[in-house]
Amino acid sequence: MNGAELLVSALENEGVTEIFGLPGEENLAMVEALRRSSIELVVTRHEQAAAFMAATHGRLTGRPGVCLATLGPGALNLTTGAAYALLGAMPMVMITGQKGVLSRKQARFQVVDIVATMTPLTKMARQIISPATIPALVREAFRMAQQERPGPVHLELPEDIAAEPTQDIPLISPHPIEMPIAHPAALDRATAMISTAERPLIMLGAAANRPRLSDALSDFVRRLQIPFFNTQMGKGSVAGGSELYMGTAALSERDYVHDAIDRADLIIAIGHDTVEKPPFFMGPNGPTVLHVGYLPATVEEVFFPHVELIGDVGPSLQLLGQRLEGKLPNAGALLPLREGILAHIAARAEESRYPLTPQRIVHDVRQAMPEDGIVCLDNGMYKIWFARNYRTHIANTLLLDNALATMGAGLPSAIMAAMLHPDRRVLAVCGDGGFIMNAQELETAHRLQLSLVVLILEDNAFGMIRWKQEADGYPDFGMTFGNPDFVTFAKAHHMEGSRVENADGLAPALEAAFAGGGVHIVVAPVDYSENRRVLIDELSAHAV
Ligand SMILES: Cc1ncc(C[n+]2csc(CCOP(=O)(O)OP(=O)(O)O)c2C)c(N)n1
Ligand SMILES: [Mg+2]
């Protein structure tokens, strides 16, 4: 046995079934060990995509996804994925190669200090300097990646350590760890606060989307009957309970959902993570805020909770629910605002305009997606519209990144979702800018024989920034570009492509693409004049 083989058996011991990556010569012992193992090596065409996929695996399953890259250039290509997992709290393990540490026959060729590079981007970054340390390091890496707050870790395996003969050192088995539940004193304080609130409102933040939390959270909301809204990343965390849904805070202020937020006297913020663009701004005269989280809140200028309920969120909410169920005469105080808010959001959803309006696109996508269908967004203007207008009923059915908010993650995250859920419809929604950033992964999706539809919204521009540029009063400059013919582009990748040619064309195009199976590209021209009309003009008027 050598170091690489020991590392691979330690990964098997953690239950790893696939590794995403793009190897280099420094990984060859590792690749050979993988070939002889039960773990599948899923080759991607860019390391960044491998990291996005591994992070999404962590996000959707709660178990770390694993990615692999070589030293220097390969490892550096993982860094955006590391930041994506770090800010997004997604458990991930990155493994990179390195030149030998005991002898350097190629001097400094391709050598970059990757452990130092990864240190601020991870929860832990370590070089493996002897095979003997591998079992403990791997166990520690997985424990760190998975435990709250989850995130990425990095292990560097130099090629001489990978090749070094070693005995069969015993592995360390993982065991379940139950987190402590909120203290009774904190439960008393929270109970008193919620009981006396006149206009309570629940906010579901990013951590509300942890895969294991969905049942307990949904149960809590149904028991209390307090209306709720969510942040962008908290979207879909409550199953059912849709008669209590007040909207999504896609903007920080002035949107219709803020009618409820601004009137609340208590906000029960469950799992809010301040990596997200603020769902509302706390100020001196605002509502009281109760933070419910796995970990204490981070205090910011715009978020400084008054009371905290810390501990394993599911069981803690169960205890809180027991204390409060049926004892909240004011639970529904803000509910009368619901219909008005949702009616404004749904406005013009069926408008027949071509190019299509963002509202119509969201509406037609919802029609094409079954309740359990998974929509994976890249980053662009449409993200605000999807966050605001797309209704979800099942946890983690709208994957978006409101933390690093990086372009390029839409397609890789959809590939991962399609691998994990071959029985469900999966749709990547990308702008023409973001799609091209990782378009090379179409080949990966095709090679893996996935069923997946990619919707490209075409405005020949970095639309989001163009909108901000206009909103800030700058002249229109530097944001436009040309595109390949995406239908031909699809054909060149041995897949189907279609272009939406009229206002009623999107829904049937999506339906046909899903019915056809395999990977499909659907291109829809988008009319972004609604950005200004709704998100600036209409909402400014509404705020007055
Ligand atoms: C990697 C990266 N580069 C730049 C940005 C800044 N940015 C945010 S949205 C956006 C425009 C996206 O354009 P596109 O993908 O075409 O979507 P659109 O807004 O046009 O719908 C840019 C450049 C970013 N978030 N991530
Ligand atoms: Mg665009």
Side-chain angles (χ1 to χ4, degrees):
M1 180 175 262
N2 62 27
E5 287 163 339
L6 182 59
L7 177 58
V8 169
S9 33
L11 296 175
E12 285 176 316
N13 185 53
E14 296 290 338
V16 174
T17 52
E18 59 267 302
I19 293 186
F20 311 96
L22 197 166
E25 73 181 276
E26 294 70 22
N27 303 118
L28 285 175
M30 174 90 183
V31 170
E32 174 58 14
L34 285 172
R35 187 179 70 82
R36 294 155 172 266
S37 77
S38 62
I39 299 175
E40 186 192 353
L41 174 64
V42 179
V43 171
T44 61
R45 305 302 301 275
H46 193 296
E47 294 85 353
Q48 188 185 88
F52 288 151
M53 286 168 67
T56 304
H57 179 284
R59 178 181 194 173
L60 286 175
T61 65
R63 288 176 288 110
V66 184
C67 56
L68 173 74
T70 188
L71 80 178
L76 291 171
N77 276 349
L78 293 178
T79 52
T80 303
Y84 175 74
L86 184 71
L87 270 64
M90 307 177 200
M92 169 166 83
V93 174
M94 297 178 285
I95 298 169
T96 60
Q98 187 54 283
K99 294 292 182 200
V101 281
L102 303 178
S103 82
R104 283 259 162 113
K105 296 214 167 54
Q106 293 191 329
R108 280 187 286 170
F109 178 61
Q110 286 193 306
V111 173
V112 173
D113 187 344
I114 296 301
V115 172
T117 304
M118 288 293 185
T119 298
L121 300 173
T122 54
K123 295 176 74 179
M124 157 184 162
R126 300 276 286 276
Q127 184 181 58
I128 300 173
I129 48 162
S130 124
T133 61
I134 287 175
L137 266 180
V138 169
R139 182 77 279 272
E140 178 65 1
F142 276 75
R143 195 181 65 78
M144 287 283 275
Q146 201 159 1
Q147 81 190 9
E148 287 292 337
R149 179 178 183 273
V153 301
H154 168 239
L155 293 177
E156 180 179 74
L157 181 64
E159 61 182 343
D160 50 359
I161 309 299
E164 189 175 311
T166 172
Q167 319 108 293
D168 198 351
I169 301 166
L171 301 172
I172 303 170
S173 293
H175 53 254
I177 301 179
E178 286 75 27
M179 283 186 78
I181 299 174
H183 192 282
L187 285 163
D188 287 346
R189 211 176 295 126
T191 303
M193 196 171 191
I194 299 172
S195 311
T196 54
E198 287 173 16
R199 295 171 308 281
L201 189 59
I202 292 174
M203 176 176 94
L204 305 169
N209 252 327
R210 300 282 190 268
R212 65 199 172 95
L213 182 54
S214 172
D215 289 346
L217 189 59
S218 309
D219 186 57
F220 177 76
V221 171
R222 280 194 298 266
R223 278 170 106 172
L224 263 62
Q225 290 292 309
I226 294 177
F228 70 90
F229 72 105
N230 44 254
T231 66
Q232 293 193 31
M233 290 181 80
K235 211 167 165 83
S237 46
V238 162
S242 61
E243 74 290 348
L244 296 168
Y245 171 72
M246 302 288 280
T248 299
L251 306 172
S252 300
E253 56 186 347
R254 301 199 303 195
D255 205 348
Y256 296 104
V257 70
H258 294 96
D259 291 357
I261 298 171
D262 295 346
R263 283 178 179 77
D265 66 337
L266 170 69
I267 293 184
I268 306 166
I270 301 176
H272 181 47
D273 191 326
T274 53
V275 293
E276 283 207 79
K277 198 188 276 181
F280 66 98
F281 296 122
M282 283 184 72
N285 306 315
T288 308
V289 173
L290 163 65
H291 168 82
V292 181
Y294 292 101
L295 299 173
T298 39
V299 171
E300 309 282 346
E301 274 165 76
V302 293
F303 190 72
F304 43 91
H306 305 94
V307 174
E308 305 195 29
L309 187 71
I310 306 307
D312 197 359
V313 174
S316 301
L317 287 179
Q318 225 161 3
L319 293 178
L320 191 61
Q322 276 165 18
R323 293 171 184 229
L324 290 168
E325 188 173 6
K327 294 182 190 153
L328 297 175
N330 301 327
L334 291 172
L335 263 182
L337 295 170
R338 178 173 179 275
E339 246 176 68
I341 295 171
L342 297 186
H344 277 296
I345 298 294
R348 300 202 187 197
E350 289 172 81
E351 195 168 50
S352 292
R353 214 197 293 169
Y354 186 84
L356 290 97
T357 61
Q359 299 94 314
R360 179 74 192 263
I361 291 170
V362 174
H363 172 269
D364 287 10
V365 166
R366 186 65 276 186
Q367 304 265 293
M369 299 304 284
E371 280 215 335
D372 69 349
I374 304 174
V375 173
C376 302
L377 302 185
D378 205 274
N379 258 280
M381 193 61 221
Y382 52 87
K383 190 179 83 177
I384 293 184
W385 290 101
F386 270 86
R388 209 171 164 259
N389 295 29
Y390 189 81
R391 293 287 300 273
T392 53
H393 306 285
I394 294 183
N396 282 309
T397 49
L398 179 69
L399 293 193
L400 58 77
D401 163 24
N402 187 33
L404 184 66
T406 177
M407 293 163 73
L411 177 58
S413 62
I415 290 176
M416 191 67 246
M419 287 182 78
L420 287 168
H421 299 288
D423 50 326
R424 289 159 68 173
R425 283 190 175 182
V426 176
L427 176 73
V429 180
C430 306
D432 43 7
F435 169 73
I436 288 287
M437 282 196 183
N438 272 318
Q440 76 285 345
E441 301 309 325
L442 284 179
E443 189 280 318
T444 307
H446 181 69
R447 173 167 27 91
L448 297 174
Q449 300 186 322
L450 301 178
S451 278
L452 170 68
V453 177
V454 183
L455 173 61
I456 302 174
L457 303 180
E458 192 175 48
D459 66 339
N460 299 299
F462 297 120
M464 170 105 182
I465 310 304
R466 199 181 190 196
W467 169 63
K468 286 261 161 82
Q469 191 179 44
E470 184 194 354
D472 291 352
Y474 291 111
D476 186 14
F477 174 74
M479 300 301 162
T480 57
F481 48 74
N483 275 313
D485 172 356
F486 287 118
V487 175
T488 311
F489 194 82
K491 300 242 152 68
H493 286 82
H494 318 290
M495 54 189 63
E496 294 295 319
S498 64
R499 189 181 170 79
V500 176
E501 301 285 3
N502 57 58
D504 299 321
L506 177 58
L510 290 174
E511 199 52 50
F514 279 117
V519 186
H520 281 243
I521 288 184
V522 176
V523 190
V526 57
D527 175 0
Y528 273 147
S529 61
E530 286 295 280
N531 297 338
R532 183 179 185 95
R533 194 192 64 76
V534 178
L535 301 180
I536 298 179
D537 299 345
E538 185 181 310
L539 292 186
S540 311
H542 165 244
V544 177

